[in-house]
Structures are given as C-alpha cells and as structure tokens.
Amino acid sequence: LLVALADPQLRLGQFVRAFPDISLSLSASPVHSDFALGQVDVDIRYGVPEWPNLVVEPIFEERILPLASPDLLARLPVYVPSDLLQRPLIQSTVNLVQWPAWFASRALIGIPERFAFRFDRASMSIEAAVQGLGIALESDRLASQHIEAGRLRPVFHPAWSLPIKAHFMVHPERHAQRTEVAQFVAWMRGQAGTAAA
C-alpha cells in the first residue's frame, strides 16, 4: 500500500500493529499524486477539494488560531487582537487561512508591515513558535502535541478560531475495491474520529 502525504501526521505505529500483514510505503512529496501512473494508492491532500473524477473524503475539521509559547507571551503580552500588529508573527505561506483572514474575523483591517518568519511548511511554523520566535497562525490539530505538553498555547479563546476542513483522503474509485486500501481508509476514519473526541 503506497500512501502519499502532504504533511505527515499519522499514528503509523497504530496502523502497523492493527494490520501487520500490510506493507506500507509513504511519500511526503508536496506535489499531488498522478494516479494514472499507478504508483500511489491513496493521497492525503491539503487544499481546496477541486479534484474531479476522484473519491474525496474530508479527514477532520481543524481550528486555525494564533499560537505562541508561554515564554513569548510572558515577554510580549497580548491582550487584544490589535496587539498582534506589534508582535513578531510567523507566516505559513501554504496555509489556506492566512493572517489577513483571521484579522478580518476580528474586525481588524490591515496586516503587519512584515513577518518575523515565513515558512512553506506548517511543521516549521509550529516549531518556530515553540522556540518562542513568534506567534503562528496554525491548526490546533497539527499543533496538538505541543499544546497538550504546554509548549504552545492559544493566544485567545478558542471561539476566536476559524474552523476549516482542508485535509482529505483522495483516491480513484477503483482503488477502494482493494482490501488494503479499504482497510487504510477505514483506519483513517477511525483515527480522525478518535482525535475529534
């Protein structure tokens, strides 16, 4: 079973224990797979679901919100959204939700003159925030381990987040007939449900 991952965040150990007879190969290319080549069984894609002639299933809903390390917030307190305009912000350039959209949701017009850091991977933006380099606008799902461990915390109440469904399982209909693909898809559904609980 070959799975292409846009941003690998899977609990692979659990899959291996549940299905020891399935050999799993992973590709972390940011480019969407070409199923016509016959090299990939399932794609985990991030983006707007505009992929005709394929089965497209959302994996989970996430909340996008400002996240920062406790140390940074102790040094540079943030009380209201407009305070962010005077703080070092981290931009994740590939995210569907960008800082202007979050500011608009809080009735603020404008964006910072510059960002402290820009990254093309969510994981890099999250890591920079953990290191106290700035405030990241990121997914509560992708940053969940850091939030649970206290390395990151939401800057504001979670009600001020923007919900989005942007991670999808994608495959041709014919692939669903294969036992290992059906098992992987069912496992992913279960993982998404467990994480959402």
mmCIF file of all heavy atoms in Angstrom, residues 4 39 78 83 97 99 118 137 149 179 187 190:
data_model
loop_
_atom_site.group_PDB
_atom_site.id
_atom_site.type_symbol
_atom_site.label_atom_id
_atom_site.label_comp_id
_atom_site.label_asym_id
_atom_site.label_seq_id
_atom_site.Cartn_x
_atom_site.Cartn_y
_atom_site.Cartn_z
ATOM 1 N N ALA A 4 0.578 8.719 -0.241
ATOM 2 C CA ALA A 4 1.279 9.992 -0.383
ATOM 3 C C ALA A 4 0.700 10.961 0.625
ATOM 4 O O ALA A 4 -0.515 11.121 0.736
ATOM 5 C CB ALA A 4 1.113 10.535 -1.803
ATOM 6 N N GLN A 39 1.284 4.447 -9.268
ATOM 7 C CA GLN A 39 2.318 4.320 -8.236
ATOM 8 C C GLN A 39 1.819 4.629 -6.830
ATOM 9 O O GLN A 39 2.521 4.366 -5.861
ATOM 10 C CB GLN A 39 3.488 5.244 -8.583
ATOM 11 C CG GLN A 39 4.166 4.885 -9.889
ATOM 12 C CD GLN A 39 5.237 5.883 -10.280
ATOM 13 O OE1 GLN A 39 5.290 6.999 -9.770
ATOM 14 N NE2 GLN A 39 6.103 5.480 -11.204
ATOM 15 N N VAL A 78 -0.096 39.718 25.012
ATOM 16 C CA VAL A 78 -1.106 40.048 24.012
ATOM 17 C C VAL A 78 -2.454 40.056 24.722
ATOM 18 O O VAL A 78 -2.869 39.037 25.282
ATOM 19 C CB VAL A 78 -1.115 39.010 22.861
ATOM 20 C CG1 VAL A 78 -2.250 39.309 21.896
ATOM 21 C CG2 VAL A 78 0.227 39.000 22.139
ATOM 22 N N ASP A 83 -3.030 44.002 19.366
ATOM 23 C CA ASP A 83 -1.665 43.864 19.899
ATOM 24 C C ASP A 83 -0.779 43.041 18.970
ATOM 25 O O ASP A 83 0.445 43.228 18.932
ATOM 26 C CB ASP A 83 -1.682 43.196 21.280
ATOM 27 C CG ASP A 83 -2.243 44.098 22.370
ATOM 28 O OD1 ASP A 83 -2.325 45.329 22.157
ATOM 29 O OD2 ASP A 83 -2.610 43.559 23.435
ATOM 30 N N VAL A 97 -5.727 29.404 5.353
ATOM 31 C CA VAL A 97 -6.135 30.555 6.164
ATOM 32 C C VAL A 97 -4.885 31.358 6.495
ATOM 33 O O VAL A 97 -3.953 30.847 7.125
ATOM 34 C CB VAL A 97 -6.849 30.105 7.453
ATOM 35 C CG1 VAL A 97 -7.198 31.320 8.308
ATOM 36 C CG2 VAL A 97 -8.102 29.303 7.121
ATOM 37 N N TRP A 99 -3.085 35.286 7.820
ATOM 38 C CA TRP A 99 -3.314 36.315 8.835
ATOM 39 C C TRP A 99 -4.380 37.342 8.452
ATOM 40 O O TRP A 99 -5.205 37.705 9.310
ATOM 41 C CB TRP A 99 -1.999 37.025 9.168
ATOM 42 C CG TRP A 99 -1.127 36.260 10.124
ATOM 43 C CD1 TRP A 99 0.045 35.609 9.855
ATOM 44 C CD2 TRP A 99 -1.357 36.083 11.533
ATOM 45 N NE1 TRP A 99 0.547 35.028 10.994
ATOM 46 C CE2 TRP A 99 -0.274 35.309 12.040
ATOM 47 C CE3 TRP A 99 -2.350 36.499 12.402
ATOM 48 C CZ2 TRP A 99 -0.185 34.947 13.384
ATOM 49 C CZ3 TRP A 99 -2.253 36.139 13.746
ATOM 50 C CH2 TRP A 99 -1.189 35.376 14.221
ATOM 51 N N ARG A 118 8.809 33.451 7.636
ATOM 52 C CA ARG A 118 7.897 32.832 6.674
ATOM 53 C C ARG A 118 8.391 31.421 6.401
ATOM 54 O O ARG A 118 9.580 31.209 6.182
ATOM 55 C CB ARG A 118 7.868 33.599 5.347
ATOM 56 C CG ARG A 118 7.295 35.003 5.418
ATOM 57 C CD ARG A 118 7.463 35.685 4.050
ATOM 58 N NE ARG A 118 7.115 37.077 4.095
ATOM 59 C CZ ARG A 118 5.974 37.581 3.638
ATOM 60 N NH1 ARG A 118 5.086 36.779 3.096
ATOM 61 N NH2 ARG A 118 5.742 38.870 3.707
ATOM 62 N N LEU A 137 -0.029 31.408 13.150
ATOM 63 C CA LEU A 137 -1.454 31.171 12.876
ATOM 64 C C LEU A 137 -1.537 29.759 12.318
ATOM 65 O O LEU A 137 -1.250 29.532 11.144
ATOM 66 C CB LEU A 137 -1.988 32.199 11.875
ATOM 67 C CG LEU A 137 -3.490 32.092 11.583
ATOM 68 C CD1 LEU A 137 -4.304 32.468 12.816
ATOM 69 C CD2 LEU A 137 -3.870 32.977 10.405
ATOM 70 N N ALA A 149 1.311 19.486 25.721
ATOM 71 C CA ALA A 149 2.521 19.477 26.548
ATOM 72 C C ALA A 149 2.830 20.836 27.160
ATOM 73 O O ALA A 149 3.765 20.962 27.955
ATOM 74 C CB ALA A 149 3.712 19.006 25.715
ATOM 75 N N THR A 179 -8.543 -4.586 -0.818
ATOM 76 C CA THR A 179 -8.729 -4.794 0.622
ATOM 77 C C THR A 179 -7.854 -3.872 1.454
ATOM 78 O O THR A 179 -8.323 -3.237 2.408
ATOM 79 C CB THR A 179 -8.419 -6.260 0.990
ATOM 80 O OG1 THR A 179 -9.307 -7.102 0.251
ATOM 81 C CG2 THR A 179 -8.605 -6.491 2.478
ATOM 82 N N TRP A 187 -9.360 2.781 8.705
ATOM 83 C CA TRP A 187 -8.488 3.129 9.837
ATOM 84 C C TRP A 187 -8.348 4.639 9.972
ATOM 85 O O TRP A 187 -8.427 5.181 11.073
ATOM 86 C CB TRP A 187 -7.127 2.469 9.646
ATOM 87 C CG TRP A 187 -6.149 2.803 10.719
ATOM 88 C CD1 TRP A 187 -6.073 2.276 11.974
ATOM 89 C CD2 TRP A 187 -5.088 3.773 10.638
ATOM 90 N NE1 TRP A 187 -5.035 2.841 12.683
ATOM 91 C CE2 TRP A 187 -4.410 3.769 11.880
ATOM 92 C CE3 TRP A 187 -4.639 4.629 9.625
ATOM 93 C CZ2 TRP A 187 -3.304 4.591 12.134
ATOM 94 C CZ3 TRP A 187 -3.549 5.438 9.880
ATOM 95 C CH2 TRP A 187 -2.900 5.424 11.130
ATOM 96 N N GLY A 190 -11.350 6.116 11.525
ATOM 97 C CA GLY A 190 -11.341 5.881 12.955
ATOM 98 C C GLY A 190 -10.392 6.797 13.698
ATOM 99 O O GLY A 190 -10.692 7.306 14.767
#
